[in-house]
Amino acid sequence: MAIETAYTISSKASGGGRDGEVVSESGRIDLDLQPPKELGGSGEGSNPEELFSAGYAACFLGALRLTSKQAGTPAPEGSTVTVTVAIGKDSADGGFGLGVSIETYLPGLDEAKATELAETAHAFCPYSKATKGNIEHTLTVRV
């Protein structure tokens, strides 16, 4: 897939990776990283899965707002997207893999229309496109 670049940003990790620091070139992200307690860490810092879930949720909500407006049914006020990222052993290669659950909340819409809008956003969202076929996705809709 070729893209026409509109924006770039980089971040640098140092230390031990999951046990270190990450800083964006803009300086707006400057975080200590610690593995979560579930993975044997202190849980006192952020972690890559937390950062991925935050970015994915924001991107998906933006995609949902744009595509629903284009479809003639703008996302209602109070609409939200919650992305849950799971990490665990990948039985295929013995390493680790990710899973993603995306929950959209579109208050006041009927379930069929809300599902249609969420599926359209899922097909449009850059995070969804980048991970398609690489990680398991679960998409649920609440109205």
Side-chain angles (χ1 to χ4, degrees):
M1 167 176 60
I3 65 166
E4 192 174 307
T5 302
Y7 171 73
T8 62
I9 186 72
S10 63
S11 297
K12 182 185 289 185
S14 60
R18 290 181 166 276
D19 195 2
E21 180 183 30
V22 66
V23 179
S24 66
E25 71 178 293
S26 68
R28 288 187 286 274
I29 296 174
D30 186 348
L31 299 171
D32 290 327
L33 301 175
Q34 294 290 321
K37 289 181 181 182
E38 296 82 354
L39 295 178
S42 70
E44 293 182 12
S46 187
N47 60 71
E49 293 72 36
E50 181 177 47
L51 297 169
F52 183 55
S53 72
Y56 202 153
C59 187
F60 197 99
L61 181 58
L64 181 64
R65 291 206 176 278
L66 178 64
T67 58
S68 64
K69 183 178 179 181
Q70 289 172 340
T73 307
E77 284 300 314
S79 295
T80 61
V81 172
T82 302
V83 172
T84 303
V85 174
I87 184 170
K89 288 282 187 180
D90 183 343
S91 59
D93 66 8
F96 287 88
L98 298 176
V100 171
S101 296
I102 304 164
E103 180 184 280
T104 62
Y105 174 58
L106 296 156
L109 293 183
D110 69 72
E111 191 169 342
K113 179 49 94 173
T115 299
E116 177 187 325
L117 295 175
E119 288 174 350
T120 300
H122 191 37
F124 183 82
C125 174
Y127 275 62
S128 293
K129 288 172 22 178
T131 58
K132 184 178 181 179
N134 298 312
I135 63 175
E136 236 177 76
H137 291 86
T138 303
L139 180 62
T140 59
V141 176
R142 290 188 313 115
V143 292

